[in-house]
Amino acid sequence: MSYSTQITLPLALILLSGVSTSAQAQLNRHIGDPLNLATSVGIGFDADVLKVGGRLGGETQKVELNTNLGGDKWTLSYLYAPVGQGNNLNISAKINHGKTETEIGRLSHYQYQVGVISEYIGWYETLVFTEVAANYLSIDDHSSSNSFAANASVSMLKPWTDRWYNQVSTEVSAAIDGRERFEGTAWVSLGYRLTEQWSWEIRYRYEANRIDDVELEETKWVFAVQSQF
């Protein structure tokens, strides 16, 4: 079960209307920084699936959209991040549409999440990002498995040189309404900045999910190229 983040067209238009098109915010942020608000486009392979995406950045906000070419797994996310590093009031929201394994088959789902992201600088200039969130999972044709969950994640970004960098992340969700639901993800990546605007990144990801009596574990290689401007 893989989760991407996205939203319906009316909500997308509402979010886009609230974003400045200046796209000049936080030019000092690293291209791999999750709080980077620069406008960007990207393309990559998630296992054997080709995905495309992009984000529209403003002075304190961004809207980001990622999808596979089939359009059945997509993500639309929104971030409010005050200018400057060290802010502890960064609000995230996203809607994910994907597929979920259930006892009656592989069904379409929507997952809605709202969270707060904090940032601090750790050892040797390592950037550490923590997020606490809540989400609601709605599975089409299987409402008995719908659930509310608490979500926590930690991500670390370590630039080694002007060009090379590593990222490590782990994320866990667990139901808080008595349902049987657990989701866990961990990944590590190596990135290389070709220029200030272009980078590539290779990532190895592990996912483990359980909903009711259905369990799924999988590992994936991800390769992506990104440009910001």
Side-chain angles (χ1 to χ4, degrees):
M1 177 177 58
S2 175
Y3 291 97
S4 345
T5 9
Q6 325 240 336
I7 193 173
T8 57
L9 181 58
L11 182 53
L13 293 176
I14 292 172
L15 292 177
L16 286 170
S17 69
V19 177
S20 167
T21 58
S22 65
Q24 299 300 312
Q26 299 191 347
L27 296 180
N28 60 320
R29 282 197 177 270
H30 194 280
I31 195 170
D33 191 325
L35 298 181
N36 188 337
L37 301 181
T39 296
S40 74
V41 294
I43 186 169
F45 282 94
D46 184 343
D48 58 350
V49 178
L50 181 63
K51 292 187 174 182
V52 295
R55 68 173 180 252
L56 176 62
E59 292 183 0
T60 59
Q61 308 171 76
K62 71 177 178 182
V63 172
E64 187 167 357
L65 177 66
N66 295 282
T67 182
N68 63 2
L69 293 186
D72 60 334
K73 294 181 180 180
W74 44 260
T75 297
L76 181 64
S77 57
Y78 169 80
L79 174 70
Y80 169 71
V83 175
Q85 293 185 337
N87 292 299
N88 288 314
L89 184 62
N90 304 295
I91 308 300
S92 66
K94 62 184 179 182
I95 298 180
N96 159 271
H97 178 248
K99 302 291 185 178
T100 299
E101 299 290 347
T102 74
E103 60 265 28
I104 62 173
R106 198 162 187 255
L107 302 177
S108 173
H109 77 247
Y110 287 88
Q111 184 170 262
Y112 309 88
Q113 179 166 304
V114 177
V116 177
I117 302 173
S118 63
E119 171 194 18
Y120 68 93
I121 300 177
W123 290 350
Y124 302 106
E125 302 301 315
T126 300
L127 296 178
V128 181
F129 306 90
T130 60
E131 180 175 12
V132 178
N135 63 57
Y136 177 71
L137 177 66
S138 175
I139 303 176
D140 294 349
D141 302 319
H142 202 246
S143 60
S144 62
S145 292
N146 293 353
S147 63
F148 288 94
N151 175 279
S153 66
V154 178
S155 299
M156 292 178 287
L157 169 64
K158 173 57 180 176
W160 295 102
T161 69
D162 289 341
R163 296 185 181 274
W164 291 99
Y165 62 94
N166 278 118
Q167 289 182 286
V168 179
S169 180
T170 182
E171 182 175 3
V172 175
S173 291
I176 55 176
D177 58 0
R179 303 289 185 180
E180 190 172 6
R181 173 184 161 205
F182 171 83
E183 302 162 17
T185 303
W187 55 260
V188 59
S189 70
L190 175 67
Y192 182 79
R193 293 197 296 176
L194 300 170
T195 67
E196 289 295 322
Q197 286 74 39
W198 288 91
S199 75
W200 61 259
E201 187 171 319
I202 187 168
R203 177 180 298 181
Y204 182 72
R205 186 172 71 225
Y206 168 79
E207 297 179 1
N209 305 283
R210 179 183 177 91
I211 293 183
D212 298 328
D213 295 325
V214 180
E215 296 183 14
L216 177 65
E217 288 186 77
E218 60 181 344
T219 58
K220 295 181 179 180
W221 285 97
V222 179
F223 178 78
V225 177
Q226 178 183 355
S227 174
Q228 67 176 9
F229 50 91

CSV table of all heavy atoms in Angstrom, one decimal, residues 117-148:
chain,number,residue,atom,x,y,z
A,117,ILE,N,5.0,21.0,11.5
A,117,ILE,CA,6.4,20.7,11.3
A,117,ILE,C,7.3,21.6,12.0
A,117,ILE,O,7.1,22.9,11.9
A,117,ILE,CB,6.8,20.7,9.8
A,117,ILE,CG1,5.8,19.8,9.0
A,117,ILE,CG2,8.2,20.3,9.6
A,117,ILE,CD1,6.0,19.9,7.5
A,118,SER,N,8.2,21.1,12.8
A,118,SER,CA,9.3,21.9,13.5
A,118,SER,C,10.6,21.6,12.9
A,118,SER,O,10.8,20.5,12.3
A,118,SER,CB,9.2,21.7,15.0
A,118,SER,OG,9.6,20.3,15.3
A,119,GLU,N,11.6,22.5,13.1
A,119,GLU,CA,12.9,22.3,12.5
A,119,GLU,C,14.0,22.8,13.5
A,119,GLU,O,13.8,23.8,14.2
A,119,GLU,CB,13.0,23.2,11.2
A,119,GLU,CG,14.4,23.3,10.6
A,119,GLU,CD,14.5,24.4,9.6
A,119,GLU,OE1,13.6,25.3,9.6
A,119,GLU,OE2,15.5,24.4,8.8
A,120,TYR,N,15.1,22.1,13.5
A,120,TYR,CA,16.2,22.5,14.3
A,120,TYR,C,17.5,22.0,13.7
A,120,TYR,O,17.5,21.1,12.9
A,120,TYR,CB,16.1,22.2,15.8
A,120,TYR,CG,16.2,20.7,16.1
A,120,TYR,CD1,17.4,20.1,16.4
A,120,TYR,CD2,15.0,19.9,16.1
A,120,TYR,CE1,17.5,18.8,16.7
A,120,TYR,CE2,15.1,18.5,16.4
A,120,TYR,CZ,16.4,18.0,16.7
A,120,TYR,OH,16.5,16.6,17.0
A,121,ILE,N,18.6,22.6,14.1
A,121,ILE,CA,19.9,22.2,13.5
A,121,ILE,C,20.6,21.3,14.6
A,121,ILE,O,20.8,21.6,15.7
A,121,ILE,CB,20.8,23.4,13.3
A,121,ILE,CG1,20.1,24.3,12.2
A,121,ILE,CG2,22.2,23.0,12.8
A,121,ILE,CD1,20.9,25.6,11.9
A,122,GLY,N,20.9,20.1,14.1
A,122,GLY,CA,21.5,19.1,15.0
A,122,GLY,C,23.1,19.1,14.9
A,122,GLY,O,23.7,20.1,14.4
A,123,TRP,N,23.7,18.0,15.2
A,123,TRP,CA,25.1,17.8,15.1
A,123,TRP,C,25.6,18.0,13.7
A,123,TRP,O,25.0,17.6,12.7
A,123,TRP,CB,25.6,16.5,15.6
A,123,TRP,CG,25.3,16.3,17.1
A,123,TRP,CD1,25.0,17.2,18.0
A,123,TRP,CD2,25.4,15.0,17.8
A,123,TRP,NE1,24.9,16.7,19.3
A,123,TRP,CE2,25.2,15.3,19.2
A,123,TRP,CE3,25.7,13.7,17.5
A,123,TRP,CZ2,25.2,14.4,20.2
A,123,TRP,CZ3,25.8,12.8,18.5
A,123,TRP,CH2,25.5,13.1,19.8
A,124,TYR,N,26.8,18.7,13.6
A,124,TYR,CA,27.5,18.9,12.4
A,124,TYR,C,26.6,19.5,11.3
A,124,TYR,O,26.6,19.0,10.1
A,124,TYR,CB,28.1,17.5,11.9
A,124,TYR,CG,29.0,16.9,12.9
A,124,TYR,CD1,28.6,15.8,13.6
A,124,TYR,CD2,30.3,17.4,13.1
A,124,TYR,CE1,29.5,15.2,14.6
A,124,TYR,CE2,31.2,16.9,14.0
A,124,TYR,CZ,30.7,15.8,14.8
A,124,TYR,OH,31.6,15.2,15.7
A,125,GLU,N,25.8,20.4,11.7
A,125,GLU,CA,24.9,21.2,10.7
A,125,GLU,C,23.9,20.3,10.1
A,125,GLU,O,23.4,20.6,9.0
A,125,GLU,CB,25.8,21.9,9.7
A,125,GLU,CG,26.8,22.8,10.2
A,125,GLU,CD,26.1,24.0,11.0
A,125,GLU,OE1,25.1,24.5,10.6
A,125,GLU,OE2,26.6,24.2,12.2
A,126,THR,N,23.5,19.2,10.7
A,126,THR,CA,22.4,18.4,10.2
A,126,THR,C,21.1,19.0,10.5
A,126,THR,O,20.8,19.4,11.6
A,126,THR,CB,22.5,17.0,10.8
A,126,THR,OG1,23.7,16.4,10.5
A,126,THR,CG2,21.3,16.1,10.3
A,127,LEU,N,20.2,19.2,9.5
A,127,LEU,CA,18.9,19.7,9.7
A,127,LEU,C,17.9,18.6,10.0
A,127,LEU,O,17.9,17.6,9.3
A,127,LEU,CB,18.4,20.4,8.4
A,127,LEU,CG,19.2,21.7,7.9
A,127,LEU,CD1,18.7,22.2,6.6
A,127,LEU,CD2,19.2,22.7,9.0
A,128,VAL,N,17.2,18.8,11.1
A,128,VAL,CA,16.2,17.8,11.6
A,128,VAL,C,14.8,18.4,11.5
A,128,VAL,O,14.6,19.5,12.1
A,128,VAL,CB,16.6,17.4,13.0
A,128,VAL,CG1,15.6,16.3,13.5
A,128,VAL,CG2,18.0,16.8,13.1
A,129,PHE,N,13.9,17.6,10.9
A,129,PHE,CA,12.5,18.1,10.8
A,129,PHE,C,11.6,17.0,11.5
A,129,PHE,O,11.7,15.8,11.2
A,129,PHE,CB,12.1,18.2,9.3
A,129,PHE,CG,13.1,19.1,8.6
A,129,PHE,CD1,14.2,18.6,7.9
A,129,PHE,CD2,12.8,20.5,8.5
A,129,PHE,CE1,15.0,19.4,7.2
A,129,PHE,CE2,13.7,21.3,7.8
A,129,PHE,CZ,14.8,20.7,7.1
A,130,THR,N,10.8,17.5,12.4
A,130,THR,CA,9.8,16.6,13.0
A,130,THR,C,8.4,17.1,12.7
A,130,THR,O,8.1,18.3,12.7
A,130,THR,CB,10.0,16.5,14.5
A,130,THR,OG1,9.8,17.9,15.1
A,130,THR,CG2,11.4,16.0,14.9
A,131,GLU,N,7.5,16.1,12.5
A,131,GLU,CA,6.1,16.5,12.2
A,131,GLU,C,5.2,15.6,13.1
A,131,GLU,O,5.4,14.4,13.2
A,131,GLU,CB,5.8,16.2,10.7
A,131,GLU,CG,4.3,16.6,10.4
A,131,GLU,CD,4.0,16.5,8.9
A,131,GLU,OE1,4.8,15.9,8.2
A,131,GLU,OE2,2.9,17.0,8.5
A,132,VAL,N,4.2,16.3,13.7
A,132,VAL,CA,3.1,15.6,14.4
A,132,VAL,C,1.8,15.9,13.7
A,132,VAL,O,1.6,17.1,13.4
A,132,VAL,CB,3.1,16.0,15.9
A,132,VAL,CG1,1.9,15.4,16.6
A,132,VAL,CG2,4.4,15.7,16.6
A,133,ALA,N,1.1,14.9,13.3
A,133,ALA,CA,-0.1,15.1,12.5
A,133,ALA,C,-1.2,14.2,12.9
A,133,ALA,O,-1.0,13.2,13.7
A,133,ALA,CB,0.3,14.9,11.0
A,134,ALA,N,-2.4,14.4,12.3
A,134,ALA,CA,-3.5,13.5,12.4
A,134,ALA,C,-4.1,13.3,11.0
A,134,ALA,O,-4.1,14.3,10.2
A,134,ALA,CB,-4.6,14.1,13.4
A,135,ASN,N,-4.6,12.1,10.8
A,135,ASN,CA,-5.1,11.9,9.4
A,135,ASN,C,-6.4,11.0,9.5
A,135,ASN,O,-6.6,10.3,10.5
A,135,ASN,CB,-4.1,11.3,8.5
A,135,ASN,CG,-3.6,10.0,8.9
A,135,ASN,OD1,-4.3,9.0,9.1
A,135,ASN,ND2,-2.3,9.9,9.0
A,136,TYR,N,-7.1,11.1,8.4
A,136,TYR,CA,-8.3,10.2,8.3
A,136,TYR,C,-8.3,9.5,7.0
A,136,TYR,O,-8.0,10.1,5.9
A,136,TYR,CB,-9.6,11.1,8.3
A,136,TYR,CG,-10.9,10.3,8.1
A,136,TYR,CD1,-11.3,9.4,9.1
A,136,TYR,CD2,-11.6,10.4,6.9
A,136,TYR,CE1,-12.5,8.7,8.9
A,136,TYR,CE2,-12.7,9.6,6.7
A,136,TYR,CZ,-13.2,8.8,7.7
A,136,TYR,OH,-14.3,8.1,7.5
A,137,LEU,N,-8.4,8.2,7.0
A,137,LEU,CA,-8.3,7.3,5.9
A,137,LEU,C,-9.8,6.9,5.5
A,137,LEU,O,-10.5,6.3,6.3
A,137,LEU,CB,-7.5,6.1,6.2
A,137,LEU,CG,-7.4,5.0,5.1
A,137,LEU,CD1,-6.7,5.6,3.9
A,137,LEU,CD2,-6.7,3.8,5.6
A,138,SER,N,-10.1,7.1,4.3
A,138,SER,CA,-11.4,6.7,3.7
A,138,SER,C,-11.2,5.8,2.6
A,138,SER,O,-10.6,6.1,1.6
A,138,SER,CB,-12.2,8.0,3.3
A,138,SER,OG,-13.4,7.6,2.7
A,139,ILE,N,-11.7,4.5,2.7
A,139,ILE,CA,-11.5,3.5,1.7
A,139,ILE,C,-12.8,3.3,1.0
A,139,ILE,O,-13.8,2.9,1.6
A,139,ILE,CB,-11.0,2.2,2.3
A,139,ILE,CG1,-9.7,2.4,3.1
A,139,ILE,CG2,-10.8,1.1,1.3
A,139,ILE,CD1,-9.2,1.2,3.9
A,140,ASP,N,-12.8,3.5,-0.3
A,140,ASP,CA,-14.0,3.3,-1.1
A,140,ASP,C,-14.5,1.8,-1.0
A,140,ASP,O,-13.8,0.9,-1.1
A,140,ASP,CB,-13.7,3.6,-2.6
A,140,ASP,CG,-13.3,5.0,-2.9
A,140,ASP,OD1,-13.5,5.8,-1.9
A,140,ASP,OD2,-12.9,5.3,-4.0
A,141,ASP,N,-15.8,1.7,-0.9
A,141,ASP,CA,-16.5,0.4,-0.8
A,141,ASP,C,-16.1,-0.5,0.3
A,141,ASP,O,-16.3,-1.7,0.3
A,141,ASP,CB,-16.3,-0.4,-2.1
A,141,ASP,CG,-16.8,0.4,-3.4
A,141,ASP,OD1,-17.8,1.0,-3.3
A,141,ASP,OD2,-16.0,0.4,-4.4
A,142,HIS,N,-15.5,0.1,1.4
A,142,HIS,CA,-15.0,-0.6,2.5
A,142,HIS,C,-15.0,0.3,3.7
A,142,HIS,O,-14.0,0.4,4.4
A,142,HIS,CB,-13.7,-1.3,2.3
A,142,HIS,CG,-13.4,-2.5,3.1
A,142,HIS,ND1,-12.4,-2.5,4.1
A,142,HIS,CD2,-14.0,-3.7,3.2
A,142,HIS,CE1,-12.4,-3.7,4.7
A,142,HIS,NE2,-13.4,-4.4,4.1
A,143,SER,N,-16.1,1.0,4.0
A,143,SER,CA,-16.1,2.0,5.0
A,143,SER,C,-15.9,1.4,6.4
A,143,SER,O,-15.5,2.2,7.3
A,143,SER,CB,-17.5,2.7,5.0
A,143,SER,OG,-18.5,1.8,5.2
A,144,SER,N,-16.0,0.1,6.6
A,144,SER,CA,-15.8,-0.4,7.9
A,144,SER,C,-14.3,-0.3,8.4
A,144,SER,O,-14.0,-0.5,9.5
A,144,SER,CB,-16.2,-1.9,8.0
A,144,SER,OG,-15.5,-2.7,7.1
A,145,SER,N,-13.4,-0.1,7.4
A,145,SER,CA,-12.0,0.1,7.7
A,145,SER,C,-11.6,1.5,7.7
A,145,SER,O,-10.4,1.8,7.9
A,145,SER,CB,-11.2,-0.7,6.7
A,145,SER,OG,-11.3,-2.1,6.8
A,146,ASN,N,-12.5,2.5,7.6
A,146,ASN,CA,-12.1,3.9,7.7
A,146,ASN,C,-11.7,4.2,9.1
A,146,ASN,O,-12.2,3.6,10.0
A,146,ASN,CB,-13.3,4.8,7.4
A,146,ASN,CG,-13.7,4.7,5.9
A,146,ASN,OD1,-13.1,4.0,5.1
A,146,ASN,ND2,-14.9,5.3,5.6
A,147,SER,N,-10.7,5.0,9.2
A,147,SER,CA,-10.1,5.3,10.6
A,147,SER,C,-9.4,6.6,10.7
A,147,SER,O,-8.9,7.2,9.7
A,147,SER,CB,-9.1,4.1,10.9
A,147,SER,OG,-8.0,4.1,10.1
A,148,PHE,N,-9.4,7.1,12.0
A,148,PHE,CA,-8.5,8.2,12.3
A,148,PHE,C,-7.2,7.7,12.9
A,148,PHE,O,-7.2,6.7,13.6
A,148,PHE,CB,-9.2,9.1,13.4
A,148,PHE,CG,-10.4,9.9,12.8
A,148,PHE,CD1,-11.7,9.4,12.9
A,148,PHE,CD2,-10.2,11.1,12.2
A,148,PHE,CE1,-12.8,10.1,12.4
A,148,PHE,CE2,-11.3,11.8,11.8
A,148,PHE,CZ,-12.6,11.3,11.8
